[in-house]
Every structure is written in C-alpha cells, then in structure tokens.
C-alpha cells in the first residue's frame, strides 16, 4: 500500500511552479476529437486523469505522441468508433465530455455514465437537456448513454443550474453543428474560457465564453494547430493554502492572479499578505490570522474545489469560522479524517462550523477524494508529529509531482510503498 509520510511543523519557503489546469486539459483532450488534423498541446500535467483520458481517446482512434513531459501531438484524422470504453469511463468524471465531442465529430456517442469524486448526487440532466436542444436524441440503455446526433444543429439552451460540465459539453457538441447556438446561464470558470479559446484557435466560432451567454456559430471543420493549456487555478490555490497553514512565505509561479481573486481577497481578510505579479503570487503568513466565513460559489465566487483546503487552514486559526458549500450537496465527508488530527468541525448539511486554533496532531488518515486529499496534506504539513495518508490514487488524479514540489519548499514529505 502506498502512503505519504509527512512530518509537519515546517513553514514552507521558496518557489513553486504551477502545472497546466486539470479541469481544462481533461476537456481539451476530448475537444481534440473534433479536429480533423494534428494538434499539439503544451502544458499538459502529468497526472493520472490525463493518462486515463489519453488511453480512452486512443481506443477511439486518436494517434497520440508524447513529444516531451508536458507536450503531446494528437492526430484525430481517423476516428474509428463512437463507443467509449466502459471501465475507463467510470474512472473519471470528465469522460462525459466524450459525449459532446463524439456527437460533434461522429454524429453519435455511446458513453457510460461518468465516475469521479463522490460528493452526493452528480446528475448530468443539464448536459442531456442541452444535447436535446441541439436536436439530439438521448437514451440510456443497459447503463450506457446513447446519443444520436443525426439531426444535430444549433439551438437555444438555458441552463437551469450553472454547470461547468454542461457548459463545456454543449460547446463541444455545438462547435460543428450547422447554425447558431445560444447558451444562457453558462458557467464562467477559467477552464470554460480555455476550452473555447482552444476550439477558436482550431477554427471554431465561439463568443462570450467567460460571460453567462455563450454564442456558437457552427463551422464545417476544425483544423490542426498548437495550443498551451492555462495554469491550474486549483493547484495554485492548494499551494497558497499550504503556505498559509504552515505560516510560510512562498512565491507561486506560472499562475493567472485574476483567477485567484476570490482566494486572495479571503487571504487579505485573514491577515495574510498576498503580492501579485504578472504571472506569480507571493503569499506571506507571518502574523496571527483572523477567522473568516466563506461560501463557495460558481466562478468568480470562492471555488468549491478549494473548500477542503480552506477548512484545513481555518482549523489552524483561533476562533469559530463558518464554511458554506454552495455547489455540492455532500462535500464534507473528509472532515471525519480531519477530526482524527484533533480538528473540531461540526457539519450540518452544507454548513461546516470549524472551532479553530487547536494544535493539529499527526494521525493515520486517508484521502477520501481528490481535494480532500489536498486538504489532508495541508493539515499534515501544519500538524505536529507524523501523518500517514493513504488512498493516494485520489491525489494522483490531479496533483503533478506533489512530493517533489513540497519537498523543494522545505516540507518533510515522502512517498513509500509498504
Ligand atoms: N448539476 C446538475 N445537473 C447537471 C450538471 C450539474 O444539477 O447536469 C449540478 C451539480 O449537482 C452541482 C452543480 O450543478 O451541484 C455544479 O456542477 P458542475 O456541472 O459545475 O460540476 P462538474 O462539471 O461535474 C466540475 C469540476 C469539479 C468542480 C465543479 C464545480 C471537472 C472535471 N470537474 O465538475 O472539479 O467541483 O466543476 O466547479 O471540471 C475537482 O477538480 O476536484 C472537481 C471535483
């Protein structure tokens, strides 16, 4: 069994470089299926979600060549099937993007319902509603989503909830659909904009990404080209929280500071210094910190994916803080693991009350999902004594070289295989 062994108590110091954005790249690796030609994608993080997805698009007929650690050449000139692999699809949430991409390129898609982190019900009704608005027929047979896009064309879509996945998936299906699509109440996350930028740089006509109305004029074909993925907003935030929780001083490089505004604003409220450069942020936490209340919201609100790291930080701050989860029904399962480290957290539905300021103690804990794993790492770095973290497959899904990056910041962390 693999474990992270972390001896806490060292303030983090130094510089760390952020990798490409997981939630952009998993969509872009599906979007390449729409391109009748060769695409080179740079700044791809070396994480397990990327490996699974590359494997999946290869089974659909994509030819993938790794040019260096973070650059891939992908040729989708000859796709061979619209049927996605069942077992691989279940390993990750983002496999749902294969539906939009295959519909757009092949006119049909058979894709199993997605897997991914478990935080309550994760419906995809808005994706399906969007496809239907574009003239598709969608059925679920024998547990497989079967989408028939023989009559795919532009249409009007109003999303009932702000959904990152539905926004991107509808964009993928509409990019090559004849006519105009207008999507209202769209998600505005940086990775939505990145996918639109990728598609536009390959010849698509998508306007308004980053606002709540996206307009897509279907084009006949997408051509090849080169594209670099944006830096990972959530990885950057994770290092900001690790720095603050250890009362450290770290320069976080290769970030887009604008994407971090909700976090930076909370940090300032907490008495943490945040210095922004063009593509870097320095976080300095050398004074006693203030408790705060936080509510997660779709972008530009405070990101739900940084809710677990925020809870770990607030556990180190004197006083009672309240966190409200505004996106997911059940994203606090990991707090039972934090309790093992001496945290005092009461959860009632979407609200967590954190009685902070108790010294965290090393313990044996597990990563219950991806960002919960990041939360455990942050708590372990701030704790006295040794913490052992298991279920590392969750962390591996989204954090590139986390042991190396934290070690370079002075953390006492190693990965062992018992
Ligand atoms: N929702 C519906 N119907 C739908 C789709 C969503 O009711 O058809 C609801 C969800 O239940 C949720 C809310 O809408 O309450 C938002 O869900 P969204 O569709 O935005 O989430 P997602 O696309 O499945 C992505 C990220 C998540 C991140 C959320 C919210 C990817 C691959 N995943 O998920 O990231 O939490 O957006 O920002 O982009 C992570 O990286 O750890 C992660 C979980």
């Amino acid at each position: 069994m693999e474990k992270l062994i972390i001896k806490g108590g060292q303030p983090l110091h130094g510089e760390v470089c952020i990798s490409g954005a997981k939630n952009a790249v998993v969509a872009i690796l599906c979007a390449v299926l729409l391109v009748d030609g060769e695409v080179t994608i740079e700044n791809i993080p070396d994480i397990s979600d990327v490996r699974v997805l590359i494997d999946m698009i290869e089974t659909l007929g994509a030819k993938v060549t790794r040019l260096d650690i973070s650059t891939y050449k992908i040729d989708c000139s000859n796709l061979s099937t619209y049927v996605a692999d069942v077992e691989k699809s279940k390993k990750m949430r983002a496999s749902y993007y294969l539906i939009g991409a295959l519909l757009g390129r092949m006119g049909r898609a058979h894709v199993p319902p997605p897997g991914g982190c478990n935080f309550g019900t994760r419906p995809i009704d808005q994706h399906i509603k969007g496809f239907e608005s574009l003239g598709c027929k969608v059925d679920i047979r024998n547990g497989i989503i079967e989408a028939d896009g023989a009559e795919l064309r532009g249409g009007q879509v109003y999303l009932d909830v702000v959904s990152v996945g539905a926004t991107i998936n509808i964009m993928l299906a509409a990019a090559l659909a004849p006519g105009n699509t207008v999507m209202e109440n769209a998600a505005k996350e940086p990775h939505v904009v990145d996918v639109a930028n990728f598609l536009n740089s390959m010849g698509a006509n998508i306007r308004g990404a980053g606002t709540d109305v996206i307009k897509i004029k279907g084009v006949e074909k997408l051509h090849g080209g080169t594209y670099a993925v944006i830096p990972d907003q959530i990885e950057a935030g994770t290092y900001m929280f690790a720095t603050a929780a250890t009362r450290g001083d770290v320069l976080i490089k290769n970030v887009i500071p604008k994407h971090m505004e909700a976090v930076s604003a909370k940090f300032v409220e907490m008495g943490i210094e945040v210095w922004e450069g063009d593509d870097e942020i320095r976080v300095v936490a050398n004074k006693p910190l203030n408790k705060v209340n936080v509510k997660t919201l779709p972008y530009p609100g405070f990101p739900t994916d940084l809710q677990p790291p925020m809870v770990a930080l607030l556990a180190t701050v004197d006083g009672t803080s309240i966190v409200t989860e505004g996106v997911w029904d059940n994203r606090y399962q990991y707090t039972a693991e934090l309790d093992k480290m001496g945290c005092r957290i009461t959860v009632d539905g979407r609200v967590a009350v954190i009685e902070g300021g108790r010294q965290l103690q090393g313990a044996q804990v597990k990563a219950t999902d991806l960002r919960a794993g990041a939360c455990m790492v942050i708590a372990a770095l701030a704790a006295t004594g040794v913490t052992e973290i298991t279920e590392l497959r969750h962390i591996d899904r989204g954090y590139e070289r986390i042991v190396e990056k934290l070690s370079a910041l002075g953390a006492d962390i190693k990965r062992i295989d018992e």
Side-chain angles (χ1 to χ4, degrees), residues 10-16 239-253 267 272-275 281-287 406 408-410:
Q10 295 293 328
L12 299 184
H13 282 284
E15 294 182 4
V16 63
Y239 285 96
M240 290 175 76
F241 281 101
T243 305
T246 60
R247 309 300 189 261
D249 177 348
V250 171
L251 182 64
I252 300 161
K253 301 179 87 158
F267 272 26
I272 302 162
E273 289 174 41
V274 180
W275 308 90
I281 289 183
R282 182 171 162 208
V283 173
V284 184
N286 56 9
K287 297 188 209 89
L406 286 170
L409 295 175

Side-chain angles (χ1 to χ4, degrees), residues 7-28:
K7 190 157 173 250
Q10 295 293 328
L12 299 184
H13 282 284
E15 294 182 4
V16 63
C17 191
I18 297 307
S19 303
K22 168 183 105 62
N23 287 344
V25 87
V26 291
I28 289 173

Side-chain angles (χ1 to χ4, degrees), residues 100-113:
L102 288 168
L103 267 177
R105 182 70 189 285
M106 312 274 281
R108 287 182 88 171
H110 286 194
V111 178

Side-chain angles (χ1 to χ4, degrees), residues 255-413:
V255 293
I256 299 176
K258 170 100 188 121
H259 295 168
M260 309 313 304
E261 274 176 355
V263 175
S264 300
K266 272 294 155 198
F267 272 26
V268 170
E269 210 180 314
M270 294 178 75
I272 302 162
E273 289 174 41
V274 180
W275 308 90
E276 291 182 2
D278 287 342
D279 59 358
E280 57 191 27
I281 289 183
R282 182 171 162 208
V283 173
V284 184
N286 56 9
K287 297 188 209 89
L289 305 189
N290 310 318
K291 69 189 172 76
V292 283
N293 298 336
V294 185
K295 179 169 185 182
T296 70
L297 289 168
Y299 189 82
F302 187 95
T304 172
D305 294 340
L306 290 173
Q307 178 257 96
M310 180 54 134
V311 169
L313 171 61
L314 291 175
T316 71
V317 176
D318 279 339
T320 302
S321 300
I322 298 174
V323 173
T324 307
E325 173 55 51
V327 177
W328 298 109
D329 287 338
N330 187 9
R331 201 172 190 171
Y332 289 120
Q333 287 122 313
Y334 68 89
T335 56
E337 300 300 306
L338 278 184
D339 288 349
K340 294 179 189 164
M341 301 179 72
C343 294
R344 195 167 284 173
I345 302 167
T346 316
V347 175
D348 184 6
R350 286 182 169 223
V351 177
V353 178
I354 300 122
E355 289 174 53
R358 297 155 57 89
Q359 177 58 55
L360 305 190
Q361 317 279 341
Q364 297 192 348
V365 294
K366 60 175 188 272
T368 51
D369 64 53
L370 169 58
R371 308 304 173 187
C375 164
M376 291 309 141
V377 171
I378 292 166
L381 292 169
T384 55
V386 175
T387 298
E388 293 187 15
I389 307 175
T390 54
E391 307 286 336
L392 303 186
R393 67 180 190 286
H394 293 297
I395 298 176
D396 294 340
R397 286 188 45 219
Y399 288 94
E400 181 175 57
R401 292 184 292 110
I402 190 168
V403 172
E404 290 83 343
K405 289 186 184 189
L406 286 170
S407 299
L409 295 175
D412 188 339
I413 175 169

Side-chain angles (χ1 to χ4, degrees), residues 23 93 96 122-126 163-165 305 327-328 371:
N23 287 344
R93 186 78 187 152
Y96 54 34
R122 297 186 72 176
I124 59 162
D125 57 302
Q126 298 303 306
S163 159
V164 171
D305 294 340
V327 177
W328 298 109
R371 308 304 173 187

